[in-house]
Amino acid sequence: MSPQIPESNVVLIGFMGSGKSSVGRELARRWRFRFVDTDAAIRRRFSKSIGEIFSIYGEDFFREQEHEVLREMLGQQRAVIATGGGIVLQNQNVALLRRLGRIVWLTASPDTIWERVRMSSHRPLLQNQDPRGTMDRLLQARSPLYAAAADLTVDSSGLLHCEVADRVVARLLERRACSRNQS
Ligand code: S3P
């Protein structure tokens, strides 16, 4: 197998607006992997947007679905898996992510994230009177969870999606070289 192609699935985690879906699609295209996305799987299940699912059934229900679709993804091979920003809130999800593949945390500075999410209307958690404050609070609370789950971290601030994909590829290769040297 080409050394550029990962030996396992690659799972992308990170806050809303960190580029998981766009970078994930780019990586899948390069490696000819399948691209799967937990939010898209949930949307398909109900033929509804994430906003509709939150408002009709509530967040707890959405979190249950998130866990279900992740479980259904076990057994995937040659896949890039993009996850919703809250996937790390459940420890049981993190355990599943580890079984699925290499976990890459896409980070970005708070200002970068804000610029990316401020105009979006499809993120229910930010549809309130103080979206920036909410974003900052969630980011602070979740960052340690992403850090604890991640095998490696790539900062996407100021980069195009294809540049972030380049970095992910490079970091995965570094890791592989390391594990070869250590064995
Ligand atoms: C969420 C992030 C969203 C989506 C849902 C909840 C979160 O996905 O799963 O709105 O809790 O951070 P993105 O990270 O793709 O925006």
Side-chain angles (χ1 to χ4, degrees), residues 16 20 39 50 54 62-63 66 84-86 123-125 142:
M16 297 174 244
K20 294 161 296 192
D39 277 353
I50 299 298
F54 264 70
F62 172 81
R63 299 296 173 204
E66 217 170 21
R123 292 185 164 104
L125 293 179
R142 291 178 180 182

Side-chain angles (χ1 to χ4, degrees), residues 14-21 37-39 42-43 50-51 54 59 62-63 66 82-87 89 117 120 122-126 138 142 146:
F15 201 74
M16 297 174 244
S18 58
K20 294 161 296 192
S21 299
D37 181 317
T38 56
D39 277 353
I42 297 170
R43 285 198 303 267
I50 299 298
F54 264 70
E59 180 173 352
F62 172 81
R63 299 296 173 204
E66 217 170 21
T83 57
I87 205 90
L89 294 173
V117 301
S120 72
H122 64 276
R123 292 185 164 104
L125 293 179
L126 300 179
L138 289 175
R142 291 178 180 182
Y146 298 127

Side-chain angles (χ1 to χ4, degrees), residues 11 13 38 42 62-71 74 83-101 103 149:
V11 179
I13 61 170
T38 56
I42 297 170
F62 172 81
R63 299 296 173 204
E64 284 165 23
Q65 298 308 310
E66 217 170 21
H67 179 68
E68 276 298 305
V69 298
L70 210 49
R71 260 182 358 129
L74 285 177
T83 57
I87 205 90
V88 292
L89 294 173
Q90 301 181 64
N91 285 336
Q92 50 177 0
N93 287 351
V94 176
L96 289 179
L97 296 176
R98 294 219 165 90
R99 285 171 65 189
L100 274 164
I103 306 177

Side-chain angles (χ1 to χ4, degrees), residues 103-121:
I103 306 177
V104 179
W105 176 22
L106 296 185
T107 62
S109 68
D111 286 343
T112 302
I113 291 179
W114 176 242
E115 278 313 307
R116 292 179 187 164
V117 301
R118 60 197 289 259
M119 302 307 279
S120 72
S121 57

